[in-house]
Amino acid sequence: MRHLQQAVAKIDGLALVKGVPAYTSDLDLNNNVLVVKLLRSPHASALIRSIDVAAARALPGVECVLTHEDVPQTAFTLAGQSYPEPSPYDRRVLDRRLRYVGDEVAIVAAVDEASATRALALIRVDYQVLTPVLDPASALDNAELVHPESVHTNFEIGCDPSRNIAAAHAVEQGDVEAELAASPVVLEQTYHTQAQAHCMMETYRATTSLDVHGRLQVMTSTQVPYHVRRHLSRILDIPRNRIKVLKPRVGGGFGGKQTASVEIFPALVTMKTGKPARLVYSRPEAFSSTTTRHAMALTVRLGADRDGSLRAIDIHCLSDTGAYGEHAPTVFWVVGQKTLPLYARARACRYHGHAVYTNKTPGGALRGYGATQGTFALESALNELADQLGMDPAELRLKNLITPGDSHPVLSGSLPGEPARLASSTLDRCITRGCELIGWEEHYPRVQLSDTRVRGYGMAVTMQGSGIARIDTASVLLKLNEDGFFTLSHSASDMGQGSDTVINQVAAEVLEVELEQIVSSSFDLDTLPYDPGAYASSGAYVTGNAALRAAEDMKAQMRAAVARLWSLADGARVDYADGIFSGEDGQTMSLAELAQTLCSFEGMDQLVGKGTFGGETSPPPFIAGFAEVEVDLETGECVVSDYVAVVDCGTVLNRNLARIQVEGGVVMGIGLGLYEEVRHNSKGRLMTDSFMEYNLPSRLDIHDIRVVFEESVEPTGPFGAKSIGEVVCNTPAPAIAQAIANAVNAVNAVNVADVGNLPRLYFRELPITPEKVLLATLGADAAD
Amino acid sequence: MELETTINGRRVSLTFANGEFLAETLRRYGYLSVKRGCNTGSCGLCTVWLDQRPVLSCATLTARVAEHQITTIEALQEEAEAFGRYMVAQGAEQCGFCSPGFVMTVLAMKRELSNPTPEEISHYLAGNLCRCSGYKGQMRAIQEFMEVE
């Protein structure tokens, strides 16, 4: 192929590396912009008895101070999802009730930062402090309620705020209890995944102003510009046609910017004052007052025959959605949706449980979106089952995997009675190849390096999706310009992953032109066709498919235009190759000639190609991940010395961008496995609100990562492609947990005579810190 | 407050608030390559050179830069592009927000170290965080740029 399956540099890459102004805070320069700051709740649960803003309002330079008495009381969700959003409408701009430490109390806008900061200090609030609900395990039916009022939902999601339930869900195939009862081998364990922070380097920010037509202009670092406009329209009660959204380069998102955490505040200030306003979150605010990955407790029950054939998989999930339910139902669903179909050979499966409200930083979308948590639980359980069966975990998986042609009722895109069918997978080959690369045969389960250092080995497999089946639908417009270059417009909302580049590659491949001949337009929503945005791993697959269709439409239109200009009879052939049109009688016309003619009096036709795509299915990409973890038995320190990820993302559209996505995702997964944790104290205050406290992996923590692609061809994908963005962070945590268990269980085998009687150690709670490893091994020693 | 200093080879006079840090001053004067990611001196995004040495401009008081030489990536466009070509060939810039500070540290390292080992490179750059790339692609780009094995 001309452009695809190549290592193509990102079209904006060199400019970004050279520091060209490109992000929201670089482009919003206006000497008169008001600085917006937010007063935040110091209490995890409280009611505002009274609030006195007189002194703050009187401060010179202060333009605007808004409390819950001054703002619309419409209920809404900030989740960036297609309407009708599944997330509950449980938020207001400002509320009398404060539901976590960091919840917004008041909005201040002033001529400069110092004045705004001083004004915050002058606001007097009388809080009635309430007992917070902090532990998700005791949230259900707790006497204290996070949302004592009723909560609107667009459809049934099992939301019951009177029981602190944000969402509930159950899906079952076959008779799980009967299969478990009939299984000769049964395993039941509970796994805990922690809240994780996105830590995109550019914090949340938005700048608003009124444009020359009096429209509210919102420039924002977002993954979901169309959803942001819809939310603002609803919350501020102004029609969407009065809102202009601009999306510049975005300094990372990872799902965080799929929730509209900041835009409403400066927008309100601009609507109240008529003046431009800017809100930039500090790093502590980005940590405390946006969203995190949902912490979950997952109880897995597996039933199997002695030969390793799975009979039943049962996953019960308790998800902690914190103070608000952004993405609470959908993240919850995805836990089961992106795990159960992996093992289609199981006769029965079930996924059930609920997401509960607590008085903490809200949960939200984060790369992996529930699949990450579900993968940790299910894959850890599979690894334990392999131990119980005395079976190689790779073999156990190969025996039970879904294969192309299989259908599964939980696969995304299934309808009642019509389970979706898997069209492409090389996961079996991914496992085999990964075993070869990591040296599974030779090394598994462990290699003793010295008396105090052991290498353990572990694995996990995973799937995700490509877009949201039967819902999210994207469009691409392709305009032929007057000298034969094209403008490709879309709103896939590149946040650094490179969708602008990959979508251009797809169109250039179809149009048989150089990449430079297509310019990307993805900034100003007024000029862009509809796209839900950058989430659910949809860029390459959903918008890529739309680009493919737009380019084909353009090619057909160009051929027809040439036929018209040549006055050919109906049905006469016009061929196109590499920018040249040719007719049956030997006539030729270049793309540039055609373009020039069409924009002139002679041709009089502006060509615009269009393509729209929404998937009936959400083809899963797959990964088999293998971890080699070196454990220091004296300190409990674990280092991932080697990681092998073998990936089936269909056709690899862009070799370097796909590889980097995998490497970055694996490191995010290593962070989840070993380092990162959002922690609150006993009063609900976030203890990890800086990079000093929150342990983000640095380059010193990262060693070998090897990425290999086992390409499949997805028949519904653009040139056979599936997604890559999210699936990449799912395997490290369970693979690492198994590797560590394998490493430290060697200790016990050395330390005691009777290995058979010793309970094996497992690590079922993330992150697996040195303390946990050491305590576990010491505890095991103490027990004998 | 006011002071005179040299930014990117040009004499400039800066007006700034008491207690203001250099990152803020530089951005206010239009050196928009300078990014801020943490304000605790932990992320490396705001790295500029002070007398040819990389410093965190978010932790450097503007009052202390009088009569010094400040360099931002705006003055090193050719070198940044030379290294940047290796970066984009790996796709390792991704969102790009950490890139200017990272590149400033890499270019300083190239002046300071010859034929560094991967460990030396990682230690030199340990203060430059990146959430997108996973660091490995950056390492490959650096090794190609530094012409080390």
Side-chain angles (χ1 to χ4, degrees):
Chain A
M1 283 195 263
R2 183 193 293 252
H3 299 296
L4 301 174
Q5 295 183 301
Q6 320 282 329
V8 175
K10 210 147 59 61
I11 56 176
D12 54 351
L14 206 51
L16 298 182
V17 173
K18 290 166 73 177
V20 166
Y23 306 88
T24 298
S25 295
D26 302 339
L27 304 181
D28 72 351
L29 299 176
N30 180 321
N31 291 335
N32 299 312
V33 70
L34 297 176
V35 175
V36 179
K37 287 208 169 280
L38 303 171
L39 183 68
R40 299 187 174 282
S41 172
H43 305 293
S45 181
L47 285 168
I48 298 173
R49 276 203 201 95
S50 65
I51 181 163
D52 178 2
V53 297
R57 280 197 178 129
L59 192 72
V62 172
E63 292 272 342
C64 171
V65 180
L66 303 172
T67 73
H68 64 94
E69 291 161 5
D70 311 309
V71 300
Q73 284 300 304
T74 317
F76 54 87
T77 178
L78 293 175
Q81 303 178 302
S82 293
Y83 184 82
E85 307 89 347
S87 298
Y89 286 12
D90 56 10
R91 261 189 200 272
R92 285 166 177 76
V93 179
L94 298 172
D95 199 346
R96 229 189 112 230
R97 180 175 290 272
L98 305 166
R99 296 182 177 82
Y100 72 101
V101 177
D103 212 351
E104 291 83 18
V105 174
I107 306 167
V108 165
V111 293
D112 55 33
E113 186 155 349
S115 306
T117 306
R118 273 199 297 278
L120 286 183
L122 291 174
I123 298 174
R124 293 281 166 262
V125 189
D126 181 12
Y127 295 103
Q128 179 190 343
V129 180
L130 307 170
T131 308
V133 181
L134 297 174
D135 176 16
S138 60
L140 191 66
D141 294 326
N142 196 301
E144 301 294 333
L145 294 179
V146 180
H147 292 269
E149 72 286 5
S150 73
V151 167
H152 169 82
T153 58
N154 286 320
F155 50 88
E156 181 54 40
I157 58 162
C159 180
D160 185 355
S162 71
R163 302 183 62 200
N164 282 328
I165 296 175
H169 179 65
V171 58
E172 182 166 5
Q173 150 78 3
D175 189 337
V176 164
E177 293 302 336
E179 288 296 337
L180 280 170
S183 296
V185 183
V186 175
L187 178 139
E188 175 173 348
Q189 288 299 345
T190 298
Y191 302 87
H192 291 269
T193 64
Q194 78 280 38
Q196 183 179 31
H198 304 83
C199 300
M200 70 294 280
M201 287 296 120
E202 182 203 34
T203 58
Y204 302 75
R205 58 198 60 194
T207 304
T208 52
S209 57
L210 295 179
D211 79 355
V212 68
H213 307 291
R215 297 169 78 209
L216 175 67
Q217 178 172 301
V218 183
M219 181 152 62
T220 175
S221 178
T222 185
Q223 298 172 224
V224 286
Y226 268 98
H227 296 331
V228 164
R229 185 167 75 180
R230 197 183 68 248
H231 286 335
L232 286 173
S233 163
R234 178 186 155 76
I235 295 163
L236 303 175
D237 195 23
I238 48 179
R240 280 182 233 180
N241 63 30
R242 301 298 293 160
I243 304 173
K244 180 182 181 73
V245 175
L246 305 174
K247 190 229 58 128
R249 296 291 94 190
V250 172
F254 309 109
K257 294 171 184 173
Q258 195 198 338
T259 297
S261 294
V262 294
E263 292 85 350
I264 50 176
F265 303 112
L268 258 172
V269 168
T270 291
M271 295 308 290
K272 292 269 180 191
T273 64
K275 295 183 178 179
R278 171 197 296 152
L279 177 57
V280 177
Y281 269 12
S282 66
R283 184 56 64 181
E285 282 178 303
F287 273 114
S288 72
S289 302
T290 60
T291 57
T292 69
R293 189 188 291 287
H294 290 86
M296 291 183 183
L298 299 128
T299 300
V300 182
R301 293 196 296 163
L302 298 177
D305 290 329
R306 295 209 182 278
D307 70 351
S309 302
L310 283 174
R311 297 177 72 111
I313 304 173
D314 183 31
I315 305 177
H316 178 272
C317 177
L318 174 67
S319 171
D320 184 354
T321 194
Y324 298 101
E326 266 94 28
H327 303 277
T330 35
V331 166
F332 189 87
W333 304 340
V334 166
V335 173
Q337 207 173 67
K338 309 298 184 202
T339 52
L340 295 177
L342 272 174
Y343 301 110
R345 296 277 174 276
R347 291 186 214 173
C349 64
R350 176 169 60 186
Y351 174 67
H352 54 130
H354 36 256
V356 293
Y357 286 118
T358 59
N359 291 108
K360 289 184 296 193
T361 300
L366 204 170
R367 193 184 207 176
Y369 205 83
T372 311
Q373 295 95 316
T375 300
F376 175 67
L378 180 56
E379 291 300 289
S380 292
L382 255 287
N383 287 334
E384 293 191 36
L385 181 68
D387 286 348
Q388 214 167 312
L389 294 164
M391 204 171 166
D392 182 334
E395 194 193 328
L396 176 61
R397 288 179 172 88
L398 288 169
K399 200 175 178 65
N400 291 287
L401 280 187
I402 190 167
T403 55
D406 289 349
S407 56
H408 195 283
V410 182
L411 261 186
S412 193
S414 294
L415 298 171
E418 256 185 80
R421 193 171 295 280
L422 181 74
S424 63
S425 167
T426 60
L427 184 53
D428 53 343
R429 272 157 52 199
C430 293
I431 293 173
T432 313
R433 184 92 177 94
C435 284
E436 289 164 17
L437 287 167
I438 201 83
W440 194 252
E441 288 266 311
E442 309 92 279
H443 303 322
Y444 179 82
R446 74 185 67 86
V447 172
Q448 187 97 26
L449 299 178
S450 72
D451 285 351
T452 60
R453 296 190 79 79
V454 187
R455 275 188 189 148
Y457 292 81
M459 70 166 293
V461 303
T462 189
M463 61 178 274
Q464 196 84 31
S466 304
I468 301 177
R470 298 178 183 276
I471 294 178
D472 286 342
T473 300
S475 295
V476 166
L477 295 179
L478 198 52
K479 173 166 72 89
L480 176 62
N481 296 306
E482 77 281 11
D483 78 343
F485 75 100
F486 299 91
T487 305
L488 191 156
S489 317
H490 66 88
S491 191
S493 306
D494 200 334
M495 55 177 147
Q497 80 277 37
S499 52
D500 282 3
T501 303
V502 171
I503 290 162
N504 265 16
Q505 283 178 259
V506 168
E509 188 73 36
V510 175
L511 292 169
E512 302 179 45
V513 297
E514 294 307 311
L515 211 52
E516 296 71 30
Q517 254 177 284
I518 301 183
V519 298
S520 180
S521 168
S522 58
F523 174 60
D524 178 351
L525 222 56
D526 283 349
T527 67
L528 308 178
Y530 185 80
D531 194 309
Y535 63 89
S537 299
S538 58
Y541 181 76
V542 180
T543 315
N545 255 323
L548 176 81
R549 284 154 177 73
E552 280 171 347
D553 181 34
M554 171 58 76
K555 208 149 88 170
Q557 287 189 44
M558 291 193 299
R559 280 208 190 102
V562 170
R564 178 174 66 87
L565 293 171
W566 284 342
S567 306
L568 299 182
D570 282 356
R573 242 178 73 191
V574 174
D575 287 328
Y576 173 79
D578 296 333
I580 305 288
F581 298 90
S582 52
E584 289 167 1
D585 300 331
Q587 328 89 305
T588 63
M589 188 189 293
S590 73
L591 182 55
E593 287 169 319
L594 171 67
Q596 283 154 13
T597 308
L598 288 177
C599 70
S600 71
F601 184 77
E602 182 195 349
M604 213 180 286
D605 191 12
Q606 171 65 59
L607 299 192
V608 179
K610 67 185 174 69
T612 299
F613 180 83
E616 288 184 4
T617 61
S618 175
F622 296 96
I623 292 185
F626 294 80
E628 174 191 274
V629 181
E630 206 167 302
V631 182
D632 184 324
L633 301 174
E634 290 181 306
T635 64
E637 194 194 4
C638 300
V639 171
V640 180
S641 43
D642 191 14
Y643 200 88
V644 170
V646 190
V647 182
D648 165 18
C649 60
T651 305
V652 177
L653 295 178
N654 184 315
R655 295 216 169 275
N656 53 353
L657 297 185
R659 181 183 185 184
I660 283 287
Q661 285 279 56
V662 181
E663 291 176 346
V666 164
V667 169
M668 198 175 243
I670 291 174
L672 186 78
L674 294 180
Y675 304 118
E676 300 177 41
E677 184 173 26
V678 171
R679 287 195 315 274
H680 295 82
N681 73 5
S682 62
K683 302 232 185 265
R685 196 178 87 74
L686 184 67
M687 303 306 287
T688 50
D689 67 353
S690 76
F691 288 137
M692 324 265 260
E693 295 291 335
Y694 188 84
N695 198 359
L696 192 71
S698 87
R699 67 190 75 228
L700 296 176
D701 301 314
I702 302 308
H703 301 273
D704 286 350
I705 298 172
R706 291 184 280 163
V707 176
V708 176
F709 293 96
E710 279 288 342
E711 296 183 52
S712 63
V713 177
E714 168 56 40
T716 66
F719 296 96
K722 299 188 279 192
S723 84
I724 186 77
E726 293 183 276
V727 68
V728 291
C729 63
N730 298 341
T731 59
I736 289 168
Q738 186 190 23
I740 297 172
N742 281 333
V744 301
N745 280 306
V747 188
N748 305 316
V750 171
N751 288 353
V752 297
D754 189 358
V755 178
N757 288 338
L758 195 75
R760 249 183 87 87
L761 293 177
Y762 289 102
F763 296 89
R764 302 186 181 107
E765 188 186 311
L766 298 178
I768 307 168
T769 57
E771 290 83 352
K772 286 180 193 166
V773 174
L774 209 53
L775 282 170
T777 53
L778 291 173
D781 285 349
D784 61 63
Chain B
M1 299 173 78
E2 267 189 49
L3 60 75
E4 294 226 332
T5 190
T6 303
I7 302 180
N8 295 342
R10 296 180 63 172
R11 287 295 284 176
V12 290
S13 143
L14 300 177
T15 307
F16 59 99
N18 194 6
E20 188 170 304
F21 286 96
L22 184 58
E24 192 183 339
T25 313
L26 288 173
R27 282 194 64 85
R28 205 156 38 75
Y29 277 86
Y31 300 94
L32 297 174
S33 69
V34 181
K35 303 294 189 252
R36 282 174 292 188
C38 70
N39 290 88
T40 49
S42 319
C43 75
L45 264 65
C46 65
T47 304
V48 299
W49 293 356
L50 191 64
D51 302 331
Q52 310 294 311
R53 309 275 295 184
V55 297
L56 298 173
S57 61
C58 82
T60 303
L61 282 168
T62 304
R64 293 186 54 195
V65 305
E67 304 306 330
H68 283 279
Q69 302 270 341
I70 298 159
T71 312
T72 72
I73 203 168
E74 278 89 349
L76 298 169
Q77 289 288 288
E78 274 182 31
E79 272 183 81
E81 176 155 346
F83 172 53
R85 292 205 174 275
Y86 292 105
M87 281 283 281
V88 300
Q90 295 292 340
E93 79 287 1
Q94 290 247 301
C95 87
F97 203 71
C98 73
S99 290
F102 168 72
V103 172
M104 289 304 286
T105 317
V106 169
L107 297 182
M109 176 174 68
K110 189 168 168 101
R111 283 163 167 71
E112 206 174 314
L113 306 180
S114 62
N115 212 24
T117 64
E119 288 70 31
E120 286 171 320
I121 293 171
S122 288
H123 275 278
Y124 198 101
L125 291 159
N128 290 87
L129 294 178
C130 167
R131 184 54 145 174
C132 296
S133 73
Y135 302 116
K136 303 304 291 181
Q138 293 185 348
M139 177 63 90
R140 291 191 293 272
I142 291 166
Q143 288 181 309
E144 287 177 10
F145 175 62
M146 305 274 286
E147 295 173 26
V148 296
E149 286 305 309

